[in-house]
Amino acid sequence: MLSSVFDSIRKFMPPIHREGYPFIAIAFVAALLLMLLWEPLGWVGLILTVYVTYFFRDPIRVVPTDERLVLSPADGLVTAVDLAVPPPELNMGVEPRRRISIFLSVFNVHVNRVPVGGTIARVVYTPGKFLNADLDKASVDNERNSLVIDSTYAQVAVVQIAGLIARRIVCWVGEGDVALPGSRFGLIRFGSRLDVYIPVESTTQVAVGQTAVGGETVLAQLVGGYSQTVFRSE
């Protein structure tokens, strides 16, 4: 009976990323202490514990492996498809590139995924402000962590941008690492934005207002036409 209950919970709740374990434990202990002080506060604490657990979910994704495709690095809302100069620390020049921005609310999955497979050529952390990540100037003013990826077809950059609530950017890859498309590379706590910079000749496949799914939604195509795409579970 108990095993069937746990099986039902596993089906309802996706896997939790290990980055969340300390926060879940702290929230749970705090809820127990609040329960001892005053039961209604304890229930509020338990609700917050459930939310923290939900925030750190890390669902399995089915990733297209075509190296010409640029995948969404995160779950969220497409807030910009435009031309912009990449952040100066990336050393990608001053010519505008095509930029696609994904805004993550506090209810989105916050595990970040590599938009294209390739070698991590550069990882640069830049301290900054904590403005609303939905603002355009957040790309320049906010705390951020930037990756440049040398893929088979082009050089692509992805920038993790801290938001108004976010106070911690986590990156698990380093320069010289080889990453598969759609593989996990980082996380931002809590609420944030990711910008992807691609060549101007790339063909975009999303529009402002569209909801993207990290590791699955195709943001753009770098070169050539589509062939039969192979998928993998990630």
Side-chain angles (χ1 to χ4, degrees), residues 4-79:
S4 63
V5 171
F6 281 121
D7 288 339
S8 299
I9 293 174
R10 291 191 191 100
K11 290 178 182 178
F12 172 75
M13 194 71 183
I16 305 302
H17 197 277
R18 63 181 181 276
E19 284 280 342
Y21 293 164
F23 295 91
I24 296 168
I26 291 170
F28 183 69
V29 171
L32 292 180
L33 293 175
L34 289 172
M35 189 73 74
L36 294 175
L37 292 174
W38 189 39
E39 186 173 331
L41 278 179
W43 284 109
V44 171
L46 288 176
I47 291 171
L48 290 175
T49 302
V50 172
Y51 167 73
V52 172
T53 305
Y54 177 75
F55 178 86
F56 285 102
R57 66 198 186 281
D58 184 16
I60 301 299
R61 295 289 159 80
V62 179
V63 181
T65 59
D66 191 327
E67 294 182 340
R68 295 167 295 184
L69 303 180
V70 180
L71 308 178
S72 177
D75 291 25
L77 185 70
V78 178
T79 56

Side-chain angles (χ1 to χ4, degrees):
M1 177 65 179
L2 192 59
S3 61
S4 63
V5 171
F6 281 121
D7 288 339
S8 299
I9 293 174
R10 291 191 191 100
K11 290 178 182 178
F12 172 75
M13 194 71 183
I16 305 302
H17 197 277
R18 63 181 181 276
E19 284 280 342
Y21 293 164
F23 295 91
I24 296 168
I26 291 170
F28 183 69
V29 171
L32 292 180
L33 293 175
L34 289 172
M35 189 73 74
L36 294 175
L37 292 174
W38 189 39
E39 186 173 331
L41 278 179
W43 284 109
V44 171
L46 288 176
I47 291 171
L48 290 175
T49 302
V50 172
Y51 167 73
V52 172
T53 305
Y54 177 75
F55 178 86
F56 285 102
R57 66 198 186 281
D58 184 16
I60 301 299
R61 295 289 159 80
V62 179
V63 181
T65 59
D66 191 327
E67 294 182 340
R68 295 167 295 184
L69 303 180
V70 180
L71 308 178
S72 177
D75 291 25
L77 185 70
V78 178
T79 56
V81 179
D82 57 10
L83 296 177
V85 177
E89 67 268 15
L90 296 183
N91 296 326
M92 298 181 74
V94 295
E95 292 297 321
R97 289 182 170 242
R98 199 167 298 282
R99 178 183 65 176
I100 302 174
S101 300
I102 312 292
F103 176 75
L104 292 72
S105 77
V106 293
F107 299 106
N108 288 123
V109 172
H110 272 60
V111 173
N112 305 149
R113 293 173 177 267
V114 176
V116 293
T119 302
I120 309 298
R122 193 171 297 114
V123 180
V124 186
Y125 169 77
T126 305
K129 301 177 182 178
F130 296 96
L131 304 174
N132 186 346
D134 201 22
L135 298 175
D136 187 62
K137 62 181 180 179
S139 295
V140 177
D141 294 341
N142 278 26
E143 176 178 311
R144 60 189 181 269
N145 186 68
S146 308
L147 274 66
V148 177
I149 305 168
D150 289 335
S151 74
T152 302
Y153 294 100
Q155 193 173 66
V156 173
V158 57
V159 183
Q160 300 169 288
I161 302 171
L164 186 65
I165 302 175
R167 287 296 186 272
R168 176 69 170 139
I169 297 175
V170 181
C171 182
W172 305 312
V173 298
E175 295 180 0
D177 290 349
V178 177
L180 294 174
S183 57
R184 301 164 179 83
F185 80 89
L187 181 148
I188 311 177
R189 304 191 295 259
F190 291 82
S192 51
R193 169 175 157 185
L194 278 87
D195 288 348
V196 180
Y197 293 89
I198 55 180
V200 292
E201 61 270 18
S202 304
T203 304
T204 56
Q205 304 289 335
V206 291
V208 172
Q210 182 173 339
T211 299
V213 178
E216 292 188 349
T217 299
V218 176
L219 299 181
Q221 182 180 344
L222 293 175
V223 293
Y226 283 112
S227 61
Q228 184 175 359
T229 303
V230 177
F231 294 84
R232 77 173 190 280
S233 181
E234 177 67 44

